[in-house]
Amino acid sequence: MKQLHYSIQIFLQKLRQSRMYTLLILETYILYIYVQPVIKFSQDVKYPSTPWLLPFLFSNIYFIFLFMLGVVYMFSDIPFMQHYYMYQIVRIGRKRWAIGQIVSIIFQSLFLMFFHLSVSILWIIRHCEWKLEWGKLLHTAALTNASAHYGFLFEVPYSAIQKYSPQELTILTLFIGTFVIAFTGVFMFAICLILNRYWAIAAAVAMISMVYLVHNANPAMIQKISAFAPVSWIQTTNIGTKMYNYYTRPSLTYIVCALCIGILIFSILIIWRVNNVEFLFSKED
């Protein structure tokens, strides 16, 4: 319980950083830009949307790229050796401090996903109907060229609407998104402890950029390439769907196992490395 309490303490401390405020303001504006065409469509046809937009927002590779750049920015204070942590490390020890930082990364990941869900709903709340189904507006966008006519910045794949209920796809997006963010965070933390911060940021950006490689790959190769591109897994509308008779993403079992194992391996590496690295504290936020 003491470890969990300490992790929550670190998480709340990070929420008060100027870096987090800046990120949330930028993400709010990006969500506004992406939701606006839906609002315009709703106003013109005089029919409300349902609040289940989040999974479709993540169907757009540019949204994913901007979102994940925000994630890299959120974790850019790695290796979390700000001056105020010095006293905590002396008091509680390196191992407990490292575990606290890892758990805090998971809390930040969950918070960021729920923030996007909440803000995407808030932007459309005046044009929203509260139904536990996709609703007429999203079905129309999926089956007609209305999304292109109104300039939707994301796809509404009918295959996803057929395969999943709104609750299933939203929960799946929150779950996979949280794990992808957490994986990115511990990956950056580990690389930073082994090399340095700049290598960690560069490696994370390279990993994020693989979403473009997956998007432009030959249909026969997409599943194989995406197996090594964790960021592409956040496109949950593509999980379990086919393009030209080829699956476009690995199975859900593979994705969950790969993310869990990856987070575990990097966490063990972090805890081991923390006991052997020389701490150089900074005064930055």
Side-chain angles (χ1 to χ4, degrees), residues 6-285:
Y6 176 62
S7 301
I8 294 172
Q9 203 174 31
I10 295 174
F11 166 63
L12 295 175
Q13 196 171 38
K14 290 178 183 294
L15 288 185
R16 295 192 293 267
Q17 291 179 342
S18 59
R19 177 182 283 101
M20 183 63 80
Y21 292 145
T22 303
L23 173 63
L24 297 183
I25 290 169
L26 288 172
E27 294 293 341
T28 300
Y29 180 66
I30 291 169
L31 284 165
Y32 171 78
I33 292 172
Y34 271 79
V35 170
Q36 269 303 298
V38 182
I39 295 174
K40 175 65 175 170
F41 181 32
S42 175
Q43 288 173 331
D44 284 359
V45 298
K46 294 180 172 54
Y47 202 88
S49 173
T50 48
W52 315 108
L53 297 181
L54 186 71
F56 303 123
L57 291 170
F58 281 105
S59 70
N60 181 268
I61 61 167
Y62 302 108
F63 183 86
I64 293 173
F65 189 74
L66 290 171
F67 173 81
M68 291 305 298
L69 282 181
V71 169
V72 172
Y73 176 67
M74 180 172 71
F75 294 132
S76 63
D77 59 340
I78 52 170
F80 313 120
M81 291 181 186
Q82 288 75 14
H83 198 265
Y84 47 77
Y85 284 130
M86 179 175 65
Y87 306 102
Q88 296 178 12
I89 294 169
V90 171
R91 191 174 72 252
I92 68 173
R94 293 188 175 205
K95 182 179 178 180
R96 188 179 165 194
W97 172 82
I99 294 171
Q101 294 291 348
I102 292 166
V103 176
S104 173
I105 285 172
I106 296 171
F107 285 157
Q108 285 175 269
S109 305
L110 188 63
F111 168 79
L112 193 62
M113 286 305 298
F114 272 96
F115 175 83
H116 278 71
L117 174 63
S118 302
V119 174
S120 67
I121 293 172
L122 283 173
W123 279 131
I124 204 169
I125 198 165
R126 291 177 57 195
H127 310 276
C128 186
E129 60 177 346
W130 299 95
K131 286 185 175 181
L132 299 178
E133 56 190 54
W134 291 115
K136 185 177 178 180
L137 195 85
L138 291 178
H139 267 101
T140 303
L143 291 169
T144 68
N145 67 343
S147 58
H149 179 76
Y150 283 93
F152 279 29
L153 298 173
F154 54 86
E155 295 179 10
V156 184
Y158 188 64
S159 56
I161 286 179
Q162 281 185 310
K163 185 175 178 63
Y164 300 102
S165 71
Q167 297 78 37
E168 287 173 341
L169 193 55
T170 301
I171 292 170
L172 182 62
T173 303
L174 290 170
F175 179 76
I176 299 297
T178 297
F179 273 79
V180 168
I181 298 167
F183 176 85
T184 305
V186 295
F187 170 76
M188 290 177 65
F189 195 3
I191 296 298
C192 183
L193 290 173
I194 295 168
L195 298 172
N196 58 48
R197 179 188 298 189
Y198 303 107
W199 276 106
I201 293 173
V205 172
M207 183 174 68
I208 293 166
S209 300
M210 286 189 71
V211 74
Y212 288 101
L213 184 63
V214 172
H215 181 73
N216 293 302
N218 184 287
M221 296 296 295
I222 287 180
Q223 186 181 23
K224 293 178 181 178
I225 295 173
S226 66
F228 301 96
V231 174
S232 71
W233 303 341
I234 205 170
Q235 287 182 301
T236 50
T237 54
N238 290 337
I239 295 175
T241 61
K242 291 184 176 182
M243 178 188 295
Y244 303 113
N245 213 34
Y246 295 102
Y247 283 105
T248 60
R249 294 296 178 274
S251 68
L252 183 58
T253 302
Y254 174 91
I255 289 171
V256 173
C257 290
L259 288 172
C260 289
I261 292 169
I263 290 170
L264 180 62
I265 289 171
F266 284 121
S267 296
I268 292 170
L269 188 59
I270 289 164
I271 294 167
W272 169 77
R273 184 61 180 157
V274 156
N275 289 320
N276 299 284
V277 72
E278 182 182 352
F279 281 8
L280 297 172
F281 295 97
S282 66
K283 293 184 179 181
E284 65 177 298
D285 183 9

